[in-house]
């Protein structure tokens, strides 16, 4: 009952979920094609949990490789599907790379699950499916809008593939729509590893704080928000990880039949300038920044209504913004120290 397959298990949210699963008594079967994460992340997870994890290097776009996993591990009771390419601007330059990888991997996984009688799947989706919402405080009934990028479109299409497959009653699905996951494990042994210049706000802040970057550019200060900069809903990666465990157990217990979606956020919105101030309060480090033009595709304001996650999953985020920023900063500092 406790074997859970984790695709993309060496990624940022995947690795934190693997740690939480083991802490909660589950046996994660971790697969990853190592295209985005180094095998070193497996060693780091093992260092935290104090034992070897079950890992296989698997390319989800290879159907036979996916079948081999379910043949080797016939007792898998649920799947958490993280594996995907996720860099928004890269997806604009290479849309077919994103459609091929993100969609074919999902189709292969579902076909193999059907062939092996595995019913339960939790899908890593994103608030990006809401586009620019009418009301920035979005609940799950907010309309899904045209995607702002091929990456966002693969999340929207991924949800549709899962919804249509669930309608044939072969699988039961929860799509979890993340807002802005940030932070790192309190040990600093795992976190959001960066490959080159950071795309996201918080890694850019921590790299500026440690001196890797000279200043932070605030993309846009003329939005219709309380201080002119964009509003987002930042949520600790550990809280996100814990929600995945509740979600997969909810499916194993048969509490959701068919398809459903759930927002995962803190429920609060913070502007970019407020995040800079929050970082300074949490760490005592002032961040040099300049006001720059808007970034194409940015949504002015979006933050989560999390009432459904609380009622359906009995999940409430525990970590504060200060926890998130302090853990992110500690992880950044650990990258320049030897473990
Ligand atoms: C946050 C805010 C930027 C960098 C992305 C994905 C989304 C999801 C979460 C996967 C924005 C501003 C940023 C900088 C800045 N990923 N910013 N200077 O774009 O909200 O969401 O990550 O599910 O799908 O799109 O996150 O961290 O890039 O930006 O001012 O150097 O910070 O303009 O307002 P985003 P982000």
């Amino acid at each position: 009952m406790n074997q859970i397959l984790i695709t993309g298990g060496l990624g940022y949210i995947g690795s934190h979920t693997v740690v939480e699963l083991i802490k909660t008594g589950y046996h994660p079967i971790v697969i990853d094609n190592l295209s985005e994460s180094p095998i070193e992340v497996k060693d780091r997870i093992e260092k935290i949990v104090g034992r070897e994890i079950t890992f296989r290097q698997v390319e989800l776009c290879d159907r036979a490789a996916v079948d081999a996993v379910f043949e080797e591990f016939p007792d898998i009771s649920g799947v958490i599907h993280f594996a995907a390419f996720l860099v928004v601007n890269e997806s604009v330059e290479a849309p077919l790379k994103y459609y091929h990888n993100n969609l074919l991997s999902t189709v292969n996984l579902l076909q193999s699950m059907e062939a092996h009688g595995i019913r339960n799947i939790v899908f890593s989706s994103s608030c990006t499916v809401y586009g620019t919402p009418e009301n920035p405080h979005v609940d799950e009934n907010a309309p899904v809008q045209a995607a702002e990028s091929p990456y966002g479109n693969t999340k929207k299409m991924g949800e549709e593939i899962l919804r249509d497959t669930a309608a044939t009653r072969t699988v039961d699905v929860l799509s979890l729509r993340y807002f802005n996951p940030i932070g790192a494990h309190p040990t600093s042994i795992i976190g959001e590893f960066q490959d080159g210049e950071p795309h996201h706000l918080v890694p850019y802040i921590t790299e500026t704080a440690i001196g890797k970057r000279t200043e932070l550019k605030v993309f846009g200060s003329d939005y219709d928000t309380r201080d002119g900069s964009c509003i987002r809903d930042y949520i600790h990666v550990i809280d996100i990880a814990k929600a995945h465990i509740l979600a997969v157990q909810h499916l194993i217990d048969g509490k959701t039949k068919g398809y459903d979606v759930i927002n995962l956020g803190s429920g609060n919105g913070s502007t970019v300038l407020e995040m800079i101030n929050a970082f300074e309060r949490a760490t005592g480090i002032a961040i040099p920044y300049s006001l720059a033009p808007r970034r194409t595709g940015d949504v002015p304001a979006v933050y989560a209504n999390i009432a459904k996650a609380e009622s359906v999953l009995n999940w409430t985020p525990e970590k504060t913004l200060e926890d998130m920023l302090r853990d992110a900063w500690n992880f950044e500092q650990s990258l320049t120290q030897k473990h």
Side-chain angles (χ1 to χ4, degrees), residues 88 126 128 151 179-180 199-201 204 216-219 230 232 234 272 295 298:
V88 172
S126 168
T128 200
Y151 158 75
F179 283 67
N180 288 59
H199 305 282
H200 295 328
L201 177 66
Y204 212 103
L216 171 75
K217 285 188 171 36
V218 175
F219 296 144
C230 288
R232 293 290 183 275
Y234 299 93
V272 176
R295 180 174 70 174
D298 269 339

Side-chain angles (χ1 to χ4, degrees), residues 184 186 235-236 238-239 242 266 316-324 326-327:
I235 174 81
H236 200 294
I238 300 271
D239 280 325
K242 290 180 175 176
S266 70
T316 308
E318 297 161 5
K319 303 269 188 178
T320 64
L321 204 53
E322 183 166 355
D323 295 330
M324 300 177 215
R326 186 203 55 239
D327 289 343

Side-chain angles (χ1 to χ4, degrees), residues 55-319:
F55 173 79
R56 297 290 182 274
Q57 182 175 351
V58 174
E59 175 47 68
L60 287 175
C61 289
D62 172 0
R63 171 68 194 272
V66 184
D67 286 339
V69 173
F70 288 119
E71 273 132 37
E72 183 181 2
F73 301 100
D75 298 329
I76 285 168
S77 48
V79 178
I80 304 178
H81 181 31
F82 290 109
F85 294 151
L86 50 72
V87 179
V88 172
N89 43 27
E90 182 193 38
S91 78
V92 175
E93 284 139 37
L96 290 178
K97 175 184 173 188
Y98 274 66
Y99 288 120
H100 178 265
N101 182 70
N102 292 5
L103 299 183
L104 180 56
S105 59
T106 301
V107 169
N108 276 349
L109 184 62
L110 286 168
Q111 287 185 316
S112 196
M113 285 175 66
E114 286 183 336
H116 294 86
I118 311 286
R119 285 198 65 87
N120 305 308
I121 177 167
V122 175
F123 177 61
S124 167
S125 189
S126 168
C127 64
T128 200
V129 303
Y130 296 117
T132 299
E134 192 76 22
N135 169 358
H137 190 203
V138 287
D139 66 23
E140 291 81 355
N141 299 316
V144 171
Q145 303 205 60
E148 315 261 347
S149 69
Y151 158 75
N153 209 22
T154 67
K155 288 302 177 184
K156 182 168 172 283
M157 294 166 78
E159 285 196 5
E160 289 163 358
I161 290 168
L162 285 151
R163 188 199 56 215
D164 292 347
T165 307
T168 69
R169 315 201 62 71
T170 55
V171 291
D172 299 312
V173 182
L174 284 178
S175 284
L176 304 182
R177 292 173 176 169
Y178 312 157
F179 283 67
N180 288 59
I182 63 170
H185 195 266
T187 61
S188 297
I189 295 171
I190 55 174
E192 190 173 10
F193 291 96
Q194 298 302 311
D195 179 13
E197 186 168 3
H199 305 282
H200 295 328
L201 177 66
V202 171
Y204 212 103
I205 286 177
T206 59
E207 289 201 6
T208 303
I210 206 153
K212 280 184 192 168
R213 310 288 160 196
T214 49
E215 68 165 9
L216 171 75
K217 285 188 171 36
V218 175
F219 296 144
S221 54
D222 59 350
Y223 286 102
D224 181 18
T225 64
R226 48 187 178 265
D227 64 18
S229 62
C230 288
I231 292 174
R232 293 290 183 275
D233 180 331
Y234 299 93
I235 174 81
H236 200 294
V237 63
I238 300 271
D239 280 325
I240 293 271
K242 290 180 175 176
H244 284 76
I245 297 174
L246 293 169
V248 77
Q249 190 58 51
H250 178 90
L251 292 173
I252 291 167
D253 295 343
K255 292 179 179 169
T256 283
K257 288 295 173 200
Y259 179 81
D260 208 354
V261 294
I262 296 179
N263 286 343
L264 292 185
S266 70
N268 307 308
S270 302
T271 71
V272 176
L273 293 172
E274 288 167 351
M275 289 297 280
I276 293 170
N277 294 333
F279 183 82
E280 293 176 19
R281 282 198 305 278
T283 63
I285 298 171
I287 296 293
Y289 69 90
S290 61
L291 301 179
R294 295 181 175 193
R295 180 174 70 174
T296 310
D298 269 339
V299 167
V302 63
Y303 60 103
N305 178 322
I306 57 171
K308 187 171 178 183
E310 290 168 329
S311 61
V312 171
L313 298 180
N314 190 24
W315 174 82
T316 308
E318 297 161 5
K319 303 269 188 178

